[in-house]
Amino acid sequence: MLGKTNTNLESRILDIFHHLHTHPEISWKETETTAFIEDLLKAEGVRTYTFDDCTGLVAEIGSGKPVVAVRADIDALWQEVNGSFQANHSCGHDAHMSIVIGTILKLKDAVKNGTVRFIFQPAEETGSGALKMVKKGVVDDVDYLFGIHLRPVEELPFGKITPAVHHGAVAFLKGKVIGPDAHGARPHQGTNAIDVLSSLNKQLKTIYFSPFEPYSVKMTYMEAGGQNLNIIPGSGRFGLDVRAQKNSVLLDLQKSVEHTIEQIIQLYDVKIDYEWRDFTPGAEVSSEAEEFIRQGILQTHGKDMLAEPLITSGSDDFHCYTIKRPNIKAAMMGIGADLKPGLHHPEMTFNKRAIFLGMDTLAQTVLLALEQGE
């Protein structure tokens, strides 16, 4: 069993976290982040592999079977912070990278059998990064896959770690109302796209499913009109965030959304083009992988730190790996971090001690999977 992280390593990991936190990069633009991690790991003698057509990298320790993989997401969000739009690590990916880098440093001389593959994955926030890694073949021979994610305080307090996060499924829809503008004095000559979008937003709220099934539909983007207030806009754009805890419910929900849009088209006699983007499936958790994390928590921190499996309405493209490669046994560890006010809040903060708790647990979990998964 590996010991707890020592003070020298803690200090180094905090420095690494500070660099990653202050140099955020959005999805598919994580060029400097990739280079920073590659240079750091190469200096430690760790094998690394990059890609010629996308950001992200893979690092490996050991050789042979079994192959145990760990995923860290590396992208930041683009959002308004203190009055200006910028890349911002408000989802904890800077912490996730730090945890995984720390795990590599703890394990690089401790792995005696099997291969540990660390996937520093781009573009989790777009829901497409995991699919790219699958296409690259980085999980084709993987037996076990582990993910990590800081959890907001309302889900998990600091000092608690769950062996499984059961994310929901999500799909995004982008659409456009297409029509001619009209003079403000002659509204009868056109259809106001703002009326169309407002009606659509209201009608979406009348979609009902069983109250025993968690789900939601929200219009999260709307744009219509311009600088001239005497023009009635005939065109407008919109975006939807559609979620459900179960993949099957999400598919039914998507059909209901499409039906609602078609009703609005008929009601206003307008053209609306739309398409679904970035489907992220709900969690498919392996009981075996979950048990490795559970034992990792117990052996490292004891039963007081062990939390029950967590069900959350959030989503993560981590689960694309198991949807595309069903042979992989996977689970995501959730780490309580006193994270406030919440994920994706521009001023999100968390207790940095959670990084070390995550490192120690993840390292022990990987060793257990290597030893017992042969």
Side-chain angles (χ1 to χ4, degrees):
M1 176 176 169
L2 293 173
K4 300 290 180 67
T5 300
N6 61 48
T7 303
N8 290 337
L9 183 54
E10 286 186 358
S11 178
R12 185 179 180 191
I13 294 301
L14 285 177
D15 288 342
I16 291 170
F17 169 80
H18 178 73
H19 174 89
L20 294 168
H21 180 74
T22 54
H23 294 80
E25 295 176 297
I26 61 173
S27 301
W28 299 122
K29 304 292 184 181
E30 311 96 330
T31 306
E32 296 302 322
T33 301
T34 299
F36 173 80
I37 298 172
E38 181 185 22
D39 291 344
L40 187 158
L41 296 180
K42 279 186 174 179
E44 293 290 332
V46 177
R47 303 191 305 273
T48 61
Y49 310 90
T50 54
F51 310 103
D52 57 7
D53 63 344
C54 69
T55 47
L57 71 150
V58 171
E60 283 188 348
I61 299 171
S63 61
K65 298 288 283 183
V67 178
V68 178
V70 175
R71 193 287 299 260
D73 30 21
I74 70 174
D75 55 331
L77 290 156
W78 183 259
Q79 62 185 159
E80 186 174 0
V81 182
N82 297 323
S84 63
F85 280 90
Q86 63 185 66
N88 187 40
H89 272 304
S90 59
C91 198
H93 295 185
D94 44 1
H96 302 166
M97 288 185 279
S98 302
I99 290 170
V100 172
I101 291 169
T103 300
I104 294 173
L105 297 181
K106 288 177 69 80
L107 288 177
K108 70 186 184 86
D109 297 320
V111 174
K112 306 303 181 184
N113 63 293
T115 302
V116 189
R117 182 173 301 149
F118 301 90
I119 305 166
F120 290 90
Q121 179 208 298
E124 185 278 327
E125 296 295 352
T126 68
S128 55
L131 292 174
K132 183 70 169 181
M133 294 296 100
V134 170
K135 291 179 180 178
K136 289 292 183 182
V138 302
V139 294
D140 285 354
D141 60 346
V142 167
D143 299 295
Y144 301 96
L145 174 65
F146 300 107
I148 52 172
H149 210 300
L150 302 185
R151 305 315 307 166
V153 68
E154 66 267 20
E155 289 187 353
L156 208 61
F158 174 77
K160 292 288 187 180
I161 301 177
T162 176
V165 178
H166 291 261
H167 287 100
V170 63
F172 303 111
L173 181 145
K174 283 193 172 182
K176 181 180 181 180
V177 179
I178 302 171
D181 292 346
H183 195 289
R186 301 174 181 85
H188 62 287
Q189 293 181 347
T191 300
N192 193 331
I194 295 174
D195 291 338
V196 176
L197 294 176
S198 297
S199 293
L200 175 59
N201 189 40
K202 290 180 180 178
Q203 286 300 114
L204 290 171
K205 299 180 189 303
T206 67
I207 295 176
Y208 294 111
F209 281 71
S210 167
F212 297 103
E213 300 290 352
Y215 67 93
S216 66
V217 181
K218 294 85 58 184
M219 185 174 287
T220 53
Y221 168 72
M222 181 190 293
E223 179 183 350
Q227 295 297 316
N228 296 102
L229 301 184
N230 61 348
I231 295 176
I232 298 172
S235 297
R237 300 177 184 272
F238 67 99
L240 306 181
D241 177 297
V242 182
R243 296 176 185 264
Q245 198 62 44
K246 297 178 181 177
N247 292 321
S248 59
V249 175
L250 181 66
L251 292 174
D252 289 339
L253 192 55
Q254 288 178 279
K255 293 177 182 177
S256 294
V257 168
E258 292 174 1
H259 179 67
T260 301
I261 294 174
E262 295 299 328
Q263 287 181 317
I264 294 296
I265 290 173
Q266 295 297 320
L267 177 64
Y268 284 92
D269 191 23
V270 295
K271 182 178 181 181
I272 301 179
D273 287 344
Y274 59 91
E275 64 175 336
W276 291 101
R277 298 187 177 186
D278 301 328
F279 166 71
T280 301
E284 299 287 349
V285 179
S286 159
S287 58
E288 189 174 347
E290 178 183 330
E291 184 60 25
F292 283 136
I293 299 178
R294 180 178 287 104
Q295 291 303 316
I297 298 167
L298 291 172
Q299 293 183 19
T300 307
H301 303 292
K303 64 180 181 180
D304 289 342
M305 193 167 289
L306 178 64
E308 292 298 316
L310 176 68
I311 297 176
T312 178
S313 58
S315 66
D316 196 296
D317 78 346
F318 175 80
H319 307 293
C320 290
Y321 291 106
T322 51
I323 293 294
K324 294 297 183 179
R325 298 290 183 270
N327 59 295
I328 297 174
K329 299 174 182 178
M332 176 175 282
M333 176 194 308
I335 305 169
D338 196 28
L339 190 154
K340 301 175 182 177
L343 294 169
H344 291 203
H345 191 285
E347 298 176 7
M348 183 274 279
T349 62
F350 68 95
N351 188 330
K352 306 304 183 294
R353 297 295 305 173
I355 293 175
F356 312 127
L357 299 180
M359 284 169 46
D360 294 339
T361 305
L362 184 58
Q364 186 62 24
T365 297
V366 169
L367 287 181
L368 288 170
L370 287 172
E371 294 167 0
Q372 301 177 31
E374 291 183 282

